[in-house]
Amino acid sequence: MKALILVGGFGTRLRPLTLSCPKPLVDFCNKPMIVHQIEALKKVGVSEVVLAINYQPKVMLGFIEEYEKKLGVKIVCSREESPMGTAGPLALARDILDDGSGDPFFVLNSDVICEYPLQKALDFFKSRGEGAEGTILVTKVEDPSKYGVVVFDEGTGKVDRFVEKPKVFVGDKINAGIYLLSPKILDRIELKPTSIEREVFPHVAEEGKLFSMVLPGYWMDIGQPKDYLSGLKLHLASLGQQGGGELYKGEGVVGNVLVHPTAKIGKGCVIGPDVSIGEGCVVGDGARISNTTIFRGAQVKDHAFVTGSIVGWDSIIGKWSRVENMSVLGEDVVVKDELHLNGAVVLPHKEIKASVGSPQIIL
Ligand code: GDD
Ligand code: MG
C-alpha cells in the first residue's frame, strides 16, 4: 500500500521554527512531525511514502536519507515546480499511487496529530463497498470556521456536503486531514494547482461516493504555536492512557512529561505538566518548566522558569530567567541570565540581552 503526505506550504504560522526547517520536520514530542505519521503508516502495511514538497528540497533529502533506514519504509520525494495545492500533488505522483492493484492509498496533511487509527480507517473504507471513492476522517471542534466542514449521515457515514472554511455555520465535524482514497478518484484530478477540499471533495460528495469516519481519540492541527502546545498536552495524555511506558518518571515530575534518554535534568527541578524535553538537552538545578517543549540540544540553566513556550534547537535560557506566555525561541537563541520574556517570538541565532515585557517579535 502507498501513502502521500502533503508537506508543501511555507509554515508561516510556525515561524520562527520554520525558518530553520520545513514545518513537517519541526519536532513534536522529540521526533519530526511526519515521523509520527510514517511510523503509523508503516504499522498498517504501507511500504512506500511519497512526500509531496514544493520548497527546501535539500533539507528534505537529508531527512529521507536518515529516516528511510531508521523506519524501514521507502520514502520518495515528489517535487512541484510551483505549489500544486492539496490535490495537484496527487496527479503528479499518480504513477506511484495507482500501482494497478486497485488498493486504496492514504493522503495526510503533514501538520495534524492524533492516535492514527489507520487500521480502523482501512476497515471502514473496505466496508463501504466498490463504489466508494474515499473516506475522510473527521473530528469535532469548537470553532469549525477555520477548517473544512463535513456534513454526513451519522449512520452510514455518507457525506452530504463538504464545505471548506465555511462563512456560516454548517456543522461542527471537520476534516481531520487524513484520507483513504481509491485510485478512481485520480481520474478527477488534473495536473495543475488544485484544492482537494474546494475542487474535488464537493463533487465526489454530490455523487454520493464520499464517506467519513469519526476519528476516535484526540486530534489537533499543530500548525501554529498555541495549537502546537494544546497538541502536546493531548498527545502526552494519550501516551499516559496507553500505559505511560514512554513517559518520564523521576523526582519533581508533575503530570505527563517526556524526556529524551540523552537529556540531563539537574537537582531540585520541577518539570511538568505537559513538557517534552529533546535529545541532548541540559536542564540546570532548580529549574521549573511547564506546558513547554524544549527542542534538541537546548539548555535551560539553573533556576530558570519556562512555561507555555517553545524553545528551539540549541537555544540557551540563562540562569534565573523567566520565559512565558507563548514565547517561541527560534534555533540557537541565547537568553542572558535574569531576564523576563513575555510572549517574545525570537528569530534564530539572536542574543537577548534585555527583558521583553510584552508580546512582540524580536528580529
Ligand atoms: N505539496 C504541497 N503543495 N502541499 C501543500 C500545498 C502545496 O501547494 N499547500 C498546502 N500543502 C499542505 C500543507 O503542508 C498541509 O500539510 C496540508 O497541505 C494542508 O494545508 P494547510 O495550509 O495546513 O491547510 P489548513 O490547515 O488551512 O486546512 C486543511 O487542514 C484542515 C485540518 O487541519 C484542510 O484540509 C481542511 O479541510 C482541514 O480541516
Ligand atoms: Mg493546517
Side-chain angles (χ1 to χ4, degrees):
M1 225 175 0
K2 308 289 163 63
L4 179 141
I5 307 180
L6 289 159
V7 296
F10 295 102
T12 45
R13 290 171 295 184
L14 216 49
R15 274 187 193 154
L17 304 170
T18 45
L19 294 174
S20 299
C21 74
K23 177 165 76 170
L25 301 192
V26 169
D27 293 346
F28 180 74
C29 290
N30 301 344
K31 288 177 204 170
M33 281 184 201
I34 50 169
V35 168
H36 294 269
Q37 301 184 319
I38 300 173
E39 285 176 345
L41 289 164
K42 189 189 170 187
K43 260 192 203 152
V44 294
V46 168
S47 56
E48 182 170 358
V49 177
V50 181
L51 302 180
I53 70 165
N54 62 18
Y55 85 129
Q56 290 187 322
K58 268 204 193 123
V59 194
M60 236 3 145
L61 292 176
F63 166 85
I64 291 176
E65 207 174 301
E66 180 180 348
Y67 280 91
E68 262 199 327
K69 279 192 219 109
K70 274 193 190 165
L71 303 175
V73 183
K74 184 171 180 193
I75 308 174
V76 299
C77 245
S78 172
R79 168 111 203 261
E80 297 145 48
E81 292 294 321
S82 57
M84 293 282 272
T86 47
L90 274 61
L92 194 63
R94 182 173 186 145
D95 290 347
I96 300 176
L97 300 176
D98 184 3
D99 57 9
S101 66
D103 284 348
F105 54 88
F106 284 98
V107 174
L108 273 69
N109 287 352
S110 59
D111 56 357
V112 299
I113 193 90
C114 64
E115 284 164 9
Y116 300 109
L118 302 182
Q119 187 56 49
K120 281 198 179 117
L122 258 175
D123 297 342
F124 179 89
F125 178 91
K126 284 180 188 150
S127 73
R128 296 305 101 170
E130 284 289 301
E133 286 189 26
T135 289
I136 302 178
L137 300 192
V138 299
T139 185
K140 193 172 158 178
V141 292
E142 298 262 308
D143 175 16
S145 65
K146 53 178 182 170
Y147 302 104
V149 173
V150 187
V151 183
F152 60 97
D153 183 297
E154 303 268 345
T156 61
K158 194 183 230 181
V159 177
D160 189 31
R161 287 173 73 199
F162 187 105
V163 191
E164 183 66 14
K165 317 257 156 65
K167 298 240 159 36
V168 293
F169 185 87
V170 277
D172 61 1
K173 298 276 190 349
I174 62 120
N175 168 21
I178 301 171
Y179 324 124
L180 246 176
L181 303 175
S182 152
K184 280 182 271 184
I185 207 167
L186 295 170
D187 292 338
R188 299 174 185 268
I189 305 171
E190 286 176 55
L191 189 60
K192 61 172 198 195
T194 312
S195 157
I196 201 162
E197 298 89 348
R198 295 177 196 275
E199 297 168 80
V200 181
F201 288 155
H203 300 294
V204 190
E206 235 167 66
E207 291 176 25
K209 294 176 178 166
L210 192 62
F211 290 84
S212 63
M213 182 190 107
V214 178
L215 186 71
Y218 80 95
W219 176 87
M220 204 70 195
D221 177 329
I222 52 173
Q224 43 189 315
K226 188 169 155 283
D227 294 341
Y228 179 104
L229 289 183
S230 304
L232 172 69
K233 182 185 168 90
L234 293 169
H235 183 76
L236 294 179
S238 159
L239 290 180
Q241 275 158 18
Q242 288 162 36
E246 277 181 68
L247 295 176
Y248 183 70
K249 318 238 169 7
E251 209 185 308
V253 168
V254 183
N256 299 322
V257 171
L258 198 64
V259 175
H260 193 277
T262 58
K264 290 193 178 68
I265 311 284
K267 291 187 210 82
C269 294
V270 183
I271 315 274
D274 307 319
V275 168
S276 75
I277 297 178
E279 190 178 343
C281 289
V282 180
V283 176
D285 296 342
R288 175 74 180 91
I289 308 174
S290 58
N291 305 308
T292 286
T293 185
I294 316 263
F295 286 2
R296 186 179 357 103
Q299 299 176 41
V300 176
K301 300 285 190 187
D302 297 352
H303 306 288
F305 176 98
V306 190
T307 187
S309 297
I310 302 177
V311 179
W313 308 270
D314 301 320
S315 285
I316 300 174
I317 296 177
K319 287 181 190 172
W320 296 103
S321 276
R322 183 181 179 97
V323 175
E324 62 185 334
N325 192 21
M326 281 310 323
S327 288
V328 183
L329 310 187
E331 179 184 8
D332 178 38
V333 165
V334 177
V335 177
K336 292 287 184 189
D337 295 350
E338 295 174 41
L339 298 182
H340 177 209
L341 264 56
N342 174 17
V345 172
V346 187
L347 267 66
H349 316 297
K350 294 280 152 198
E351 193 177 57
I352 304 290
K353 295 179 187 153
S355 290
V356 179
S358 59
Q360 59 186 282
I361 299 172
I362 312 294
L363 300 168

